Amino acid sequence: MSNATTGSDRVVPGQHPPEEERVPQLARLSRPAVTHWQFAVVLAAAIVARIIVILGYPPVLWFNDSYNYVYDAVTHIPDAIRPNGYPFLIDLLLPLHNAYPLAVLQAAMGITMGVLIYALLRHRGLPWWGAILPALPVLFDSYELHLEHMVTADTLFIFLGTVAVVILCWSDRPSVPVMAAGGLLIGYATLVRSVGQPLLVVVLVAMLVRRVGWRRLATLLVAGIAPIVAYMAWFHGTYGNYALTESSGTFLYSRVSTFAECDKMNPPADIRALCDPTPPSLRPVAGGYLWASFELWPDNHVSTPLYRLDQSADVSMRFTPQVNGMAEKFARDAILAQPYDYLRVVIHDTLHTFGWNRQPDPNNYYGNGPAFQFVSGSTLDNLIPWWTTLQVPKDTAAVQTYMARQDFGGPGLGQTTAVQPWQRLLQIYQRYFYLRGTLLGLIVLIGAAGVLARWRRWGGIGLLPWLVGVLMIVLPPMTAGFSYRYVLAAVPTACLAAGLAFARRPGDKSSVGALAADLRRHFGRGVAVDQE
């Protein structure tokens, strides 16, 4: 509608354009769904799946770490074991006194990751079906759905990393603002989960070999370091040292516990108290060693070194600066004295990732136990730790945790209930619909083939997501221990790398034949072809 005074085509305030002019606007809004109708159908199914999860287990799912996250959000005190990046998010939702917004927000993160994977691969020239396939594990994996519905830092961490990788791969040479945004996302991801600490280095290396320019690299570095430095300054105000946690040494000690033998190490006197005379085969697994107070049967009457240090089952005592420093020194000496044993356990746990079937895990050591599955009845009730209730009224920590749950979830404490028939449907769904470890291995190999096909270009555009995916698979076995839960962090970027193996410059065609031709040319006598 023209403005009679100015003669322009802008709409006069308070007036609406005629019907014939509003129709094209609606058409423009609906055009993406019409153009990409195949993916729109898939996306609708993924949304329905998440609605069923919320209906089946209202309002959210919990496990042991969940209560610590909520407690940290309420108290605003940096956690000695885990960075507070995720409690920062929970803190924003506390005024609502309802757990549903967190469940919906994390479900939206899962949907967004699927959309971003599809969008990037379409932008890079893949056909609709080729862009949909790599998004399916993120959109429909039952363990991904379970993780999204849980009060845990994993979903936020995976989301931040995926968004950062996508925006940095959208263009061969991202703009300075995009590099800044990517750096901030990576920096914040480091504050969400400790495993993200090497991410910034990996991203810098990938962008360096892509030759994006020193100005962009400097922007990425400064933006990535800024939130980390700010957090370390905040941490210093409480604990007196500049760090993200007081737990890295203790976790690494738990890792080396699967092979460390003091007869082979000859440790100095100041850390000899951490020596464990129990044979490695009778010690708890790496994922449970630092929490355990006793060895495995038949030595289950023998206490662990971490317990003996303070003669206390209070695990917080295992994350003091003194114990963390001792544990880190012991773990370093163990690795140097027994490097082949360390390599053996890391390779064993890494290969464990790619097994066809998931290992039974009744104690939740490997991220595949009752806490990480759709369960019901007494099994679900037994997942609530005693120290989150008022069973011991004089226990100060239990009372504080209970009050934090009340602040977060309202009168109902956000306590999970299983609702039929949706709960039963999800149990059946989880038996069959998840990404098998062997298929993940195949996805990683496809991504590796794409990187190798572009070796003259240092791996091309697919190098970044492939490196991030491999890092998320290998780093937990190197620093703590294997967990299926940790593996899920590698899935989006590994799938992206596999899809990008068939990509060309935006707008060019892609095919399996083109990838095979690249491999033949690069490793044969052919002439190199241009990539991206």
Side-chain angles (χ1 to χ4, degrees):
M1 181 179 296
S2 297
N3 188 310
T5 304
T6 62
S8 71
D9 291 329
R10 291 178 296 179
V11 176
V12 177
Q15 297 184 4
H16 299 283
E19 183 66 26
E20 60 271 15
E21 292 184 20
R22 291 203 299 268
V23 173
Q25 294 178 7
L26 295 175
R28 283 195 297 270
L29 293 175
S30 61
R31 187 175 301 160
V34 174
T35 304
H36 303 277
W37 68 268
Q38 300 96 335
F39 181 67
V41 172
V42 172
L43 197 63
I47 293 173
V48 169
R50 283 158 175 81
I51 293 174
I52 292 175
V53 172
I54 295 175
L55 292 174
Y57 288 91
V60 288
L61 294 164
W62 300 75
F63 78 123
N64 282 1
D65 293 354
S66 304
Y67 306 99
N68 297 108
Y69 289 130
V70 173
Y71 178 83
D72 292 340
V74 172
T75 59
H76 303 117
I77 298 175
D79 196 301
I81 303 176
R82 307 167 191 85
N84 281 48
Y86 184 60
F88 291 160
L89 173 65
I90 296 177
D91 191 19
L92 297 176
L93 303 176
L94 284 180
L96 302 176
H97 303 294
N98 194 307
Y100 278 105
L102 181 66
V104 173
L105 179 60
Q106 292 185 169
M109 290 179 187
I111 291 293
T112 302
M113 286 189 285
V115 172
L116 290 175
I117 291 171
Y118 174 82
L120 176 61
L121 295 180
R122 289 290 278 164
H123 177 70
R124 286 286 171 178
L126 268 69
W128 65 267
W129 57 268
I132 287 178
L133 284 176
L136 293 180
V138 176
L139 292 174
F140 293 104
D141 184 289
S142 58
Y143 290 93
E144 168 70 23
L145 295 177
H146 187 281
L147 203 64
E148 289 176 14
H149 195 54
M150 180 179 280
V151 183
T152 178
D154 298 73
T155 301
L156 177 60
F157 174 76
I158 300 170
F159 174 75
L160 293 170
T162 302
V163 174
V165 169
V166 168
I167 65 174
L168 292 175
C169 289
W170 194 264
S171 170
D172 291 352
R173 200 164 184 263
S175 65
V176 171
V178 169
M179 295 291 279
L184 288 172
L185 289 169
I186 294 297
Y188 183 42
T190 303
L191 306 182
V192 174
R193 280 197 58 208
S194 298
V195 73
Q197 291 181 22
L199 268 180
L200 183 59
V201 176
V202 170
V203 174
L204 281 168
V205 170
M207 302 308 289
L208 176 65
V209 299
R210 209 195 289 179
R211 301 177 183 178
V212 297
W214 293 109
R215 183 185 173 196
R216 288 171 170 78
L217 285 174
T219 301
L220 177 67
L221 177 61
V222 172
I225 289 178
I228 298 174
V229 170
Y231 186 90
M232 291 174 70
W234 181 56
F235 191 88
H236 175 269
T238 300
Y239 296 97
N241 63 316
Y242 294 97
L244 297 179
T245 66
E246 294 284 9
S247 63
S248 57
T250 309
F251 275 104
L252 190 59
Y253 171 74
S254 182
R255 165 72 284 178
V256 304
S257 69
T258 55
F259 65 85
E261 297 180 77
C262 286
D263 291 342
K264 299 179 181 179
M265 292 171 50
N266 192 26
D270 60 333
I271 59 172
R272 188 168 287 274
L274 291 174
C275 289
D276 193 341
T278 301
S281 61
L282 298 181
R283 301 172 190 170
V285 298
Y289 190 78
L290 78 168
W291 312 109
S293 297
F294 295 93
E295 311 285 4
L296 300 180
W297 187 90
D299 280 10
N300 55 337
H301 61 283
V302 179
S303 57
T304 62
L306 286 174
Y307 176 87
R308 290 196 298 269
L309 282 178
D310 294 288
Q311 292 295 317
S312 173
D314 182 1
V315 295
S316 65
M317 302 300 294
R318 305 173 189 185
F319 300 99
T320 63
Q322 180 185 2
V323 173
N324 187 59
M326 289 176 60
E328 184 174 5
K329 185 177 180 180
F330 183 96
R332 185 175 63 248
D333 288 356
I335 293 171
L336 293 175
Q338 299 175 251
Y340 297 110
D341 290 326
Y342 174 67
L343 184 62
R344 171 178 55 81
V345 297
V346 170
I347 291 176
H348 175 270
D349 279 8
T350 301
L351 293 179
H352 195 169
T353 302
F354 307 116
W356 180 257
N357 294 313
R358 282 180 162 234
Q359 176 179 335
D361 182 27
N363 296 314
N364 296 305
Y365 288 145
Y366 301 108
N368 191 44
F372 305 102
Q373 295 185 8
F374 292 114
V375 296
S376 61
S378 60
T379 306
L380 182 64
D381 296 335
N382 291 337
L383 294 177
I384 305 175
W386 67 267
W387 44 265
T388 66
T389 65
L390 294 180
Q391 294 180 12
V392 186
K394 294 183 179 180
D395 188 301
T396 303
V399 173
Q400 290 176 337
T401 303
Y402 182 89
M403 294 177 64
R405 290 176 61 196
Q406 197 170 43
D407 201 7
F408 168 69
L413 306 177
Q415 187 164 327
T416 311
T417 56
V419 179
Q420 300 295 348
W422 313 112
Q423 178 273 328
R424 179 59 180 162
L425 181 63
L426 289 169
Q427 278 189 321
I428 297 173
Y429 181 86
Q430 193 167 41
R431 292 179 190 171
Y432 308 102
F433 292 92
Y434 64 92
L435 182 63
R436 299 274 184 172
T438 309
L439 295 180
L440 175 60
L442 180 61
I443 290 170
V444 173
L445 289 176
I446 293 173
V451 171
L452 290 173
R454 295 160 172 80
W455 70 273
R456 296 180 187 273
R457 297 287 301 275
W458 295 90
I461 203 72
L463 178 64
L464 173 58
W466 189 80
L467 286 178
V468 172
V470 170
L471 178 70
M472 292 298 100
I473 292 173
V474 175
L475 193 60
M478 290 178 64
T479 59
F482 171 79
S483 173
Y484 290 106
R485 177 167 65 97
Y486 300 155
V487 173
L488 289 174
V491 172
T493 49
C495 290
L496 263 178
L500 290 172
F502 307 99
R504 290 294 180 271
R505 289 193 180 102
D508 291 350
K509 293 182 178 180
S510 61
S511 67
V512 176
L515 174 61
D518 288 350
L519 290 170
R520 287 196 301 270
R521 290 175 182 176
H522 287 321
F523 295 101
R525 293 185 176 182
V527 179
V529 295
D530 290 336
Q531 315 298 341
E532 293 90 46

